[in-house]
Amino acid sequence: MENHELQKLTEELSLQLFGIPFKHEAIFNPRLKTTGGRYLLNTHNIEINRKYLDQLGFDEMVGIIKHELCHYHLHLAGKGYRHRDADFRLLLKKVDAPRFCGQLPEKQMKRRSGKIITYECAACGTTYQRKRKLDVSRYVCGKCRGKLRKVEEVRVVQ
């Protein structure tokens, strides 16, 4: 799908769902990393992350476009366009747009594997479990201020 096809789709969805034309630009932005799309307040343009189309499919991208169009039309109408606003939440339900986009499979793979490191106080025996390594020369036990030592490191796959 090219930018001109995305523009046409966005214009069609705007007329079908909102009854108001979309008069600005809708483009794919390859620099978006953590979100499916965004509405730009200054230019009123909509940017979409192409990875969501490639990895999750056309329907997911249509949901993202609907979500961003909710921001667009509410902002231009002078109503609450932020995620926390009641106007925004009502319009999302009305047009059946998702509040959040799905997670990309590449992000899911990164989150699934991890490790849990267990530390123990040499003085009182209190154990601490952490996802990140601690510098045992800098940190001490929170109960007795005794020295910590690494007990075990377990790989976790969910």
Side-chain angles (χ1 to χ4, degrees):
M1 179 177 266
E2 298 296 322
N3 279 333
H4 67 277
E5 294 171 309
L6 175 65
Q7 179 73 30
K8 185 178 177 189
L9 176 64
T10 305
E11 290 170 359
E12 289 172 0
L13 286 172
S14 181
L15 282 174
Q16 287 173 5
L17 299 170
F18 301 92
I20 305 168
F22 177 72
K23 297 179 181 177
H24 293 85
E25 200 174 344
I27 60 168
F28 287 110
N29 183 347
R31 293 182 312 276
L32 293 178
K33 299 288 184 201
T34 60
T35 184
R38 67 178 174 186
Y39 164 64
L40 301 169
L41 295 173
N42 294 334
T43 62
H44 307 296
N45 293 339
I46 291 176
E47 297 179 341
I48 303 294
N49 187 341
R50 184 184 292 275
K51 286 184 180 181
Y52 281 81
L53 172 63
D54 297 339
Q55 295 181 23
L56 295 177
F58 184 77
D59 291 337
E60 182 72 21
M61 188 190 65
V62 168
I64 293 168
I65 293 170
K66 286 194 233 177
H67 178 101
E68 300 309 327
L69 282 171
C70 289
H71 287 298
Y72 172 81
H73 288 298
L74 288 170
H75 181 247
L76 292 179
K79 297 181 180 178
Y81 60 90
R82 295 185 175 107
H83 287 129
R84 66 176 178 257
D85 294 330
D87 292 334
F88 182 74
R89 291 185 185 190
L90 285 172
L91 190 56
L92 282 179
K93 284 184 183 175
K94 183 179 174 186
V95 299
D96 192 33
R99 185 142 178 246
F100 305 104
C101 55
Q103 193 174 29
L104 289 172
E106 67 186 34
K107 297 286 184 194
Q108 289 174 350
M109 293 304 291
K110 287 180 182 175
R111 284 192 174 171
R112 287 192 179 178
S113 63
K115 58 186 171 191
I116 295 182
I117 306 164
T118 305
Y119 295 93
E120 183 179 66
C121 174
C124 69
T126 303
T127 59
Y128 300 92
Q129 290 188 333
R130 298 288 179 266
K131 290 184 178 180
R132 294 185 178 182
K133 287 184 180 179
L134 283 178
D135 183 358
V136 292
S137 65
R138 291 183 61 198
Y139 293 96
V140 294
C141 176
K143 286 187 174 181
C144 71
R145 311 212 19 100
K147 281 191 168 258
L148 294 176
R149 66 172 182 246
K150 184 175 168 182
V151 178
E152 67 177 336
E153 187 172 323
V154 179
R155 275 243 177 273
V156 179
V157 179
Q158 296 173 341

